[in-house]
């Protein structure tokens, strides 16, 4: 039964349409919601709204839920409405009055924000770690291939002499910049929403630092409506930081798709990392690279879905926000898995030195010849024209 | 084991990353893929590639799979790779040589396109039917509320006299136009891709009309590469037609959210169709309307994901296309459910005549007064100015 | 002075922010707005709201504006507010009472819709014509290159034997399908909005067929609010049809960018169609192809801008719609120019037969060998495995 | 004539299509490109590539261009190709050999990045300043309306007691968070690209700190290919920060559109800030609010155009990037003007105390009554049920 119902009388179609698959997402929030509730119980104890005994029961109940959930035994179904309702009902059933008190000075509005921010902070930290690992792998790859020349391209045409190491280094740098954006997203999530209630605060003063410290937030909110209004803005900050990571990986995958064609032939991957064709016996396809490349589109779509659901709506909680939850979670998952697979791919690249040597064509050095002349006193534009003629 | 493998040696991480959750989508394609395979078996029989007995075994095998699937007993898992591999393997295991022959003159590339188009045609037909039902419901609602005035708004300000019937009628017309766009999307899907193989045709002439008639397509393709290149273009046509429907429903929901505010107060919904608040005992929220409104954002995001995965890629099958499958299916599902719920909502609107009467303010009639004067000979712009002064 | 003002007292900042660059777009609407006004004057005459003489003066005045505009002498500035105001003021100044009567039974809301639909219909017709021309050019190119083999690619890897003609034919077919979508967009625009007024109709019955016939619309609206509500839906239909065209051209350009790399080397363009580098004297870049490819992104962004401005808004005219005007016009222009340039490019492709011959490698024929065996009685899957072994 | 041309022989259509309206954008870059060239001349002097006299001529020439440009006398036309070519040609024409030397150790690729980053940093700084000003204005408005109650809404329904000050404060906080994101975007732009050349560095070691200090960048790049690869990633960071600002303003405008309806009636704006209707004499429309709201859609579309042009492309400069320039510039302009207009609007809000008082309905206090009971010992869930019954 829902928290706000005196009797279970909700229209079934409306219920199904409204909840949708949200209960699947909420399963991923169980642990975070319990951790947040433990911190909130600490506040209620401090304010003497619950007794020491009730506090003990709530904390042990919530830890029990975390254990049950880890064991796959705390399943949220559509009729539970959401994770918050399910947990309160479980606590009330198993711990009586203590359960009935846990929602004091709290709304599901600040509760879901808290769980989502804890979830996002965790996810972003993992993405950051994977980004660091990929940087390390790229560094090793650059070292391993040190000195191997590769053409540098502009407009997809051979342009200037480059090297595998320079190419790999570009992605190291790109990921370092991405990590800075991930930090920005972590910062955006790092504000404690507890105490904002339904978006208009509480009729009694509370010590926000209790839950802020307890949950490891670096700051607490100062205007309760602001907190609600930024639900999707913060989600977009998270998604944007993931987009930056995916843009880096998309370019990596686009390059590799080109470099592994028969025509370029610079790189290949071992057979165990390729797929075949159901009809063409000779094929070796790089499907993982294509999925890596395509996942930028997936995260882009998720970004837009959240943006669209946030546009042109007035202040205060609007249920449309729920639709971003699955997209946020999927995007964190995609970024994490994509970084891992990119690392595995880089570790297994087989370099075809002969093809790279053959590609190291004369024309690549034209600019260097002009620049050399310019250093010897010929005005650059004149040097350019002299070399240009010799290229025709 | 995959069709293209001599031994099962694929890297587990690569396999997991590449297949992802695609097997969940493929579950929805089992029936369509079997139907398409039955038609294809007809071609193989006609071309004497399979015997009459082999044809019989294939047809009965495929029908058996349809039955098993309907009973939830034909589960595609990640290690099956995809629906096509699973079905061929099952046929070979249960029907020997006949199974080994089913993939003659076919590629998974034309196979997946066929299944997706049959799936989309079916889904779009259902959406059309639901749109017709909603039109009917709106018509009944207009009839029921005949004669009840309601202000007409521009710029969200009261503008001119209108009525509930006029308002409801606007959505009837909008859905009628949407149905035309749905027809366009059905047309886009209504081309038989079988025989295009991997995108470069077959080394032997086939009679394409066998499968075209067998599967109810209205035409067959004429250039095999074109067929592959339009995978995402056709998906976008489907998604665009759903976007049009969702735009209609988004405006309907946006209006209803406004008309059910305390301040407008024109309409309300019965309590059984509302949700409550976990903290505010007095609340009656219209969450279903918000999800109806928000689902435009969800479909918009899906449209963008497919568009992004299609951009800047060369001709021929690219695996990135796989990522559109889940988004296409989700969008068809959203549109279908949204039309149904909109209908239920319209059927249950409670009209507050008093509020509507009170809103029927004097100012609404200013333009009519000016127009009336203009019909009596005063140049309209002069009439406008006379009435304008009287309004200040 | 604005039509609705008794004195020119509008805040300058607000005026500038509201009008923005809309007056630039309105310049392109002058002719269409005059044509629509001439048709409207016909209605006013029929209804005896204006005299025969007034009708004559209006028609000659409006034709004069068309002439002035063609000569660049009818400039809309920010203080004119918009094209409709400018024209009415000009008529009143030059033709007195007749001008004051032109706005009878009309609102700028139905007027701008009419002008935009006439503009879009015209633009779409031109796009269609250019698409036909490009189809013809591709056909000639296919004929000219008849018999020249080219590898067919899947997953960007060589897959099966193909030909330049097959490749070019894929784009012919794609454009034919695009033309069907363009027809749908023309259909969407082909509804006469005149008589819907501000969105709530008129207090007097009019004969809508007068302007419908006069302006060449194939049908007239039946619900005035619906007409207003579809402003952006119809614009999106136009933009979607252009997106389809741009998707075709994007793939064409993506292929050509690949085929003109040094590594593929199948095609090149004459020097007069390439750009150079400011620093690398040897470079020959295919910038026009890159812009052709990138313009899909431009039209995609325009589509999203209009979609975003339409989301989550209630019924009736909302000024946000104005922001789509520039994006609609730019997109029509991009599609038109892109089709033209694509044609010029196709006409000038230089084919490198030697590179194509060298690319026609053995492996491309593996599937054909397996299929041939299958036609001779070996079950296809067995044939596949036999050929597969020989490829390793 | 272009820098890379020996004779002016470029196909006119190709030239027009490739350059498009880019020369209009480049006009805005003249000053930034000159400033960057002055810094670069400093490097050339230090490296003794130019003489002290040549340096003097270049610096005075570039300053002259800045002056000419400020006076509208340095017009870039399509045949000038771009700002960089125009400036070099002008310098060569007016200062001979010095002009021919300015492009030594530089490519237009690093040059355009430098100009765009300087432009963006400047624009973002202005946006930040305007955001600060709006915060101040909101603070004053909150002070001025201190103590005036306003209902707080969730799901667009009256929820809990709030106040104008709380509402305004939410936007102050939102802008403060936006400023942090703007700082992130400034950081992203704050890296000196000079010395990266065409994306593959220079064949001679340079002291990057000369231009880094000279141009006020906080750091210089370390991998030249990375610099090119981040062109659009950095533009997206800029656009994302503007999106955050526009999301804040979109919500502000959405609230105001609601609060200024006849039905809510909480606020109004003076007549000088409203527009009228061409047909309805009584209308007072809030067009500026609608444009403010709609401009989120415009910036969203621009974000997507840049993202789409960046997707699925390989490393190194691709001309598609050019298409983002106009969208970046337009977005900075929109954000700047929108913040200014929002401020003017806030300063002019007229508060309707009577309507606000009437809206302060009993139901708003239900949660507070339940919370109060819970503080007195009744378990919250029981208190909720008790109050709930009294509300029915």
């Amino acid at each position: 039964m829902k928290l706000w119902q005196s009797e279970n009388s909700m229209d079934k179609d409306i219920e199904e349409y409204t909840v949708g698959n949200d209960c699947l997402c909420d399963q991923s929030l169980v642990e975070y919601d319990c951790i947040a509730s433990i911190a909130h119980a600490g506040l209620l104890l401090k304010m003497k709204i619950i007794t020491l005994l009730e506090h003990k029961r709530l904390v042990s109940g919530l830890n029990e839920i975390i254990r049950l959930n880890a064991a796959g035994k705390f399943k949220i179904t559509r009729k539970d409405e959401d994770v918050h309702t399910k947990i309160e009902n479980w606590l009330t059933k198993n711990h009586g009055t203590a359960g009935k008190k846990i929602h004091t000075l709290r709304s599901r509005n600040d509760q879901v924000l808290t769980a989502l921010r804890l979830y996002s902070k965790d996810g972003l930290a993992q993405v950051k770690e994977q980004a660091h690992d990929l940087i390390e792998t790229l560094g090793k790859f650059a070292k391993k291939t040190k000195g191997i020349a590769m053409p540098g391209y502009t407009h997809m045409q051979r342009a200037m002499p480059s090297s595998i190491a320079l190419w790999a280094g570009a992605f190291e740098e790109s990921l370092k910049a991405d990590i800075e954006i991930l930090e920005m997203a972590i910062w955006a999530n790092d504000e404690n929403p507890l105490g904002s209630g339904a978006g208009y605060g509480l009729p009694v003063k509370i010590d926000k630092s209790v839950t802020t410290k307890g949950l490891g937030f670096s700051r607490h909110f100062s205007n309760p409506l602001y907190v609600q209004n930024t639900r999707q803005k913060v989600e977009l900050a998270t998604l944007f930081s993931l987009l930056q990571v995916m843009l880096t990986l998309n370019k990596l995958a686009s390059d590799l798709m080109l470099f592994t064609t028969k025509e370029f032939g610079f790189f290949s991957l071992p057979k165990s990392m390729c797929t075949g064709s159901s009809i063409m016996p000779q094929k070796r396809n790089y499907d993982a690279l294509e999925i890596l490349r395509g996942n930028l589109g997936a995260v882009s779509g998720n970004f837009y879905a959240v943006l669209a659901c946030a546009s042109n709506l007035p202040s205060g909680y609007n249920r449309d926000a729920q639709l971003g939850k699955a997209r946020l979670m999927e995007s964190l998952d995609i970024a994490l898995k994509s970084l891992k697979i990119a690392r595995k791919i880089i570790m297994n690249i087989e370099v075809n030195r002969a093809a790279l040597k053959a590609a190291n064509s004369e024309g690549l050095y034209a600019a260097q010849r002009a620049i050399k002349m310019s250093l010897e006193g010929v005005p650059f534009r004149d040097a350019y024209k002299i070399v240009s003629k010799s290229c025709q």
Side-chain angles (χ1 to χ4, degrees), chain A:
Chain A
M1 202 158 88
K2 280 134 195 91
L3 300 174
W4 40 270
Q5 278 178 314
S6 40
E7 54 198 305
N8 200 332
S9 58
M10 193 168 185
D11 181 278
K12 288 299 155 228
D13 295 333
I14 293 284
E15 184 181 35
E16 189 191 325
Y17 184 74
T18 309
V19 177
N21 294 319
D22 201 43
C23 44
L24 293 178
C25 298
D26 274 14
Q27 198 68 49
S28 304
L29 295 181
V30 171
E31 189 177 345
Y32 299 99
D33 207 48
C34 287
I35 290 170
S37 289
I38 290 171
H40 183 64
L43 176 75
L44 297 181
L45 176 66
K46 195 179 174 193
M47 293 181 75
K48 300 197 176 141
I49 289 164
I50 56 172
T51 63
L52 205 57
L53 184 63
E54 284 169 340
H55 179 258
K56 206 178 147 188
R57 294 191 74 170
L58 286 174
V59 171
S60 89
L62 289 160
N63 278 319
E64 172 72 5
I65 293 173
I66 292 175
R67 273 190 302 276
L68 287 171
N69 182 53
K73 292 176 179 163
F74 191 80
K75 287 284 167 208
I76 301 167
T77 64
R78 201 169 279 163
K79 67 177 189 13
D80 291 320
E81 195 175 22
D82 60 27
V83 61
H84 320 297
T85 304
K86 169 87 178 175
I87 290 175
E88 180 176 331
N89 282 341
W90 190 95
L91 289 173
T92 302
K93 195 180 157 200
N94 291 279
H95 298 280
T97 307
K100 287 181 175 181
K101 290 185 174 174
I102 186 66
H103 207 59
T104 321
L105 302 180
R106 190 172 75 173
S107 165
R108 281 183 302 179
N109 289 3
D110 54 349
Q111 216 182 331
V112 68
L113 270 176
T114 307
L116 278 172
R117 290 187 177 178
L118 293 173
Y119 180 93
S120 298
K121 278 175 65 183
D122 240 32
L124 288 166
Q126 289 174 54
V127 170
K128 240 180 70 182
E129 200 183 302
Q130 286 297 325
H132 277 299
D133 285 353
L134 181 53
I135 289 171
E136 198 198 333
T137 301
L138 285 161
K140 281 182 190 164
F141 178 67
K143 209 171 226 171
K144 200 170 72 180
T145 59
K146 206 178 165 188
I148 306 181
M150 178 159 92
Y153 294 82
T154 64
H155 304 265
M156 290 179 70
Q157 295 292 328
R158 289 186 193 163
M160 290 185 77
S162 179
S163 67
I164 298 183
L166 180 78
W167 174 82
F171 294 98
E172 288 182 66
E173 292 303 311
S174 191
L175 288 162
K176 283 180 200 163
D178 297 342
I179 287 170
E180 298 292 325
I181 310 281
L182 288 166
E183 292 287 4
M184 173 280 291
I186 289 172
W187 170 84
N189 279 284
D190 209 11
E191 187 170 53
N192 182 14
L194 283 174
S196 63
Y200 301 95
L202 300 167
V204 56
K205 210 176 152 51
I206 61 161
D207 178 357
K208 287 183 281 189
S209 71
V210 176
T211 52
T212 300
K213 276 183 209 158
L215 295 169
F217 282 110
S218 69
R219 64 192 189 285
H220 39 249
F221 78 91
S222 60
N223 178 299
L225 179 55
Y226 154 72
V227 177
Q228 281 306 318
N229 284 357
T230 50
R231 161 83 179 260
Q232 288 151 316
K233 288 185 77 186
V234 170
E235 288 181 6
L236 287 169
T238 303
L239 288 164
F240 177 72
S241 70
L242 301 176
L243 258 188
Q244 288 278 330
V245 172
M246 296 312 293
L247 278 161
T248 299
L249 298 180
N250 179 269
K251 201 168 277 301
L252 180 74
S254 298
D255 280 350
L256 290 175
M257 282 301 289
L258 212 51
F259 296 166
T260 56
T261 56
K262 183 82 178 164
E263 289 73 14
F264 279 75
F266 298 165
F267 294 158
S268 61
L269 290 176
K271 213 178 158 185
S272 66
M273 302 183 73
C274 302
T275 58
S277 154
S278 70
I279 174 174
M280 294 167 286
Q282 89 287 7
K283 279 306 284 297
R284 202 185 275 198
N285 295 327
Y286 296 99
D287 293 45
L289 285 175
E290 293 173 288
I291 297 296
L292 184 60
R293 181 178 62 188
N295 267 328
L296 169 64
V299 176
S300 300
N302 289 344
F303 182 92
Y304 190 79
V306 173
L307 180 57
C309 285
S311 298
N312 299 338
L313 292 188
S315 282
Y317 180 80
N318 297 298
R319 183 71 183 255
D320 320 54
Q322 166 194 303
L323 298 170
K325 216 191 271 178
R327 277 148 178 93
L328 181 78
M329 289 176 169
E330 188 199 42
S331 302
L332 279 161
D333 188 53
I334 287 174
L336 207 53
K337 285 184 177 152
S338 296
L339 283 164
K340 279 184 197 171
I341 216 70
R343 204 178 155 211
K344 183 145 206 176
I345 287 166
I346 295 295
M347 286 194 289
N348 285 280
I349 288 177
E350 295 164 356
V351 175
N352 182 349
R353 285 172 182 255
L356 283 158
K357 198 168 181 185
N360 200 23
S361 50
E362 174 65 13
L364 293 171
Y365 296 86
Q368 299 199 347
R369 275 153 54 207
I371 292 170
K372 210 182 149 202
M373 286 168 72
S374 78
L375 296 176
E376 289 161 357
V378 185
F380 178 73
R381 192 53 61 209
D382 293 335
Y384 175 95
K385 281 174 188 166
I386 293 164
V387 176
S388 186
K389 264 183 202 150
S390 78
C391 292
Q392 281 167 347

